[in-house]
Amino acid sequence: MKCIQKKEINFQKGLIPVIVQDSKTSKVLMLGYMNQESYIKSIEEKKVIFYSRSKKRLWKKGEISHNYLLIKDILIDCDQDTLLIKANPTGPICHNGSDTCWKEINKMNFLFHLENIISNRINKKYKNSYIFQLFKKGINKISQKLGEEAVEMIIESKDNDKHFFLNESADLLFHYLILLHKKGISIQEIINILEERHLKNEKKN
């Protein structure tokens, strides 16, 4: 990770604007603000930490949703008072579930979007939400439901009705995401393990 020495950044006004860009796609994800303290913390943790003007405190992106911005590179503009941070997002960036704060959604990342919806339903305690009602029943009920969906999918796999098989597969994946949330685990962590295994196998071959 490349970074700028804090003495090179003009913090005279207290806060400086920070543009965050996806390091892989170059898509602009969001705009936030940093002070010297939040910048130093960001460097230490290698995650984007803003200063929230509304909360009046340091705010780590993803502290609730676990959709962090992992820093890969930091650039400074010619006036030394604006930062461009290139980062790898671990999930949707906007609290509404979209990839960016401009309501852009990558269909390839819909699982992250769905994960964020599940998180919102639970955190905001939507009483009429199936997700929240199941979550309240605890991990045993969630695991039981996941097991039921797995059995139903297996049964449908033995037949030739693609429609039923696809729907049971979707139900299984949906309830798996709820279980992951209950365990405090993100789908990105599962993806990371699969990627690591893939890389190891590639090296062997």
Side-chain angles (χ1 to χ4, degrees):
M1 179 186 72
K2 298 178 182 178
C3 60
I4 310 298
Q5 296 296 319
K6 63 179 183 293
K7 63 182 180 182
E8 300 178 55
I9 306 172
N10 184 359
F11 285 109
Q12 290 182 3
K13 295 180 181 179
L15 297 178
I16 61 170
V18 178
I19 300 166
V20 183
Q21 183 182 44
D22 191 307
S23 65
K24 295 179 180 178
T25 67
S26 295
K27 182 184 291 185
V28 176
L29 302 175
M30 68 177 296
L31 171 71
Y33 293 87
M34 283 184 178
N35 59 11
Q36 192 172 67
E37 183 183 6
S38 63
Y39 177 75
I40 294 172
K41 286 283 187 181
S42 296
I43 300 303
E44 290 175 349
E45 298 192 24
K46 298 180 181 179
K47 294 177 182 177
V48 174
I49 300 174
F50 296 109
Y51 180 84
S52 171
R53 294 176 298 171
S54 58
K55 298 181 177 70
K56 305 296 182 184
R57 64 171 176 82
L58 299 190
W59 166 59
K60 180 189 295 183
K61 182 68 185 77
E63 63 185 16
I64 295 177
S65 67
H66 303 296
N67 296 330
Y68 302 108
L69 289 166
L70 308 180
I71 300 173
K72 294 300 175 183
D73 196 6
I74 301 177
L75 304 174
I76 191 168
D77 77 331
C78 55
D79 292 324
Q80 297 180 298
D81 60 2
T82 301
L83 294 180
L84 172 64
I85 294 182
K86 297 186 178 184
N88 285 345
T90 64
I93 294 308
C94 183
H95 65 282
N96 290 322
S98 57
D99 291 345
T100 77
C101 289
W102 290 270
K103 299 181 180 180
E104 296 175 293
I105 296 176
N106 184 345
K107 291 184 178 180
M108 295 298 291
N109 291 333
F110 181 74
L111 278 182
F112 292 126
H113 179 54
L114 181 57
E115 184 179 51
N116 203 54
I117 291 173
I118 290 170
S119 177
N120 285 340
R121 294 289 190 277
I122 293 169
N123 292 336
K124 294 183 179 179
K125 300 180 180 179
Y126 286 104
K127 294 182 179 179
N128 296 326
S129 166
Y130 168 79
I131 295 169
F132 178 65
Q133 292 302 323
L134 177 60
F135 190 82
K136 279 203 313 179
K137 294 178 181 178
I139 194 165
N140 288 342
K141 286 294 183 180
I142 297 172
S143 300
Q144 178 184 337
K145 185 62 178 176
L146 182 64
E148 292 171 359
E149 297 297 344
V151 171
E152 291 174 6
M153 187 202 71
I154 292 170
I155 292 173
E156 291 300 335
S157 72
K158 296 177 179 296
D159 296 328
N160 294 319
D161 193 315
K162 183 179 178 180
H163 171 76
F164 283 117
F165 175 70
L166 287 174
N167 276 276
E168 292 300 342
S169 298
D171 288 343
L172 177 63
L173 184 54
F174 174 70
H175 287 88
Y176 176 59
L177 289 175
I178 297 176
L179 179 63
L180 286 181
H181 185 89
K182 184 66 176 178
K183 297 288 291 183
I185 298 171
S186 70
I187 190 67
Q188 185 63 51
E189 293 177 78
I190 308 302
I191 293 172
N192 290 343
I193 292 173
L194 293 173
E195 288 179 341
E196 289 172 8
R197 290 178 181 177
H198 172 69
L199 291 174
K200 287 180 181 178
N201 288 332
E202 287 287 301
K203 290 179 180 179
K204 288 179 182 179
N205 296 329

